[in-house]
Amino acid sequence: MATVKDSTTWAIRALHYSELSDCAIEKDVDRANVFATHALVYATLAASGVEVHYN
């Protein structure tokens, strides 16, 4: 059975990385920036409607 990663999946990941960034900002700004970048990438995938199908 194929697994699909769709806009909902990307949006959930974007929120997850956004939360990680918020938590990390107090301790390590560079790490928070990495998490924020991941969130931006996943938000872009969600907005663009990209779907990934794999087995």
Side-chain angles (χ1 to χ4, degrees):
M1 179 186 285
T3 302
V4 178
K5 295 193 182 241
D6 59 8
S7 294
T8 303
T9 304
W10 303 132
I12 290 168
R13 288 198 179 186
L15 288 172
H16 171 73
Y17 279 104
S18 178
E19 290 173 358
L20 288 176
S21 179
D22 286 345
C23 291
I25 195 72
E26 295 175 8
K27 299 175 187 171
D28 186 351
V29 173
D30 291 333
R31 186 174 176 96
N33 286 336
V34 169
F35 289 142
T37 302
H38 278 81
L40 179 61
V41 169
Y42 285 123
T44 302
L45 287 170
S48 66
V50 170
E51 289 188 6
V52 177
H53 301 262
Y54 62 94
N55 292 330

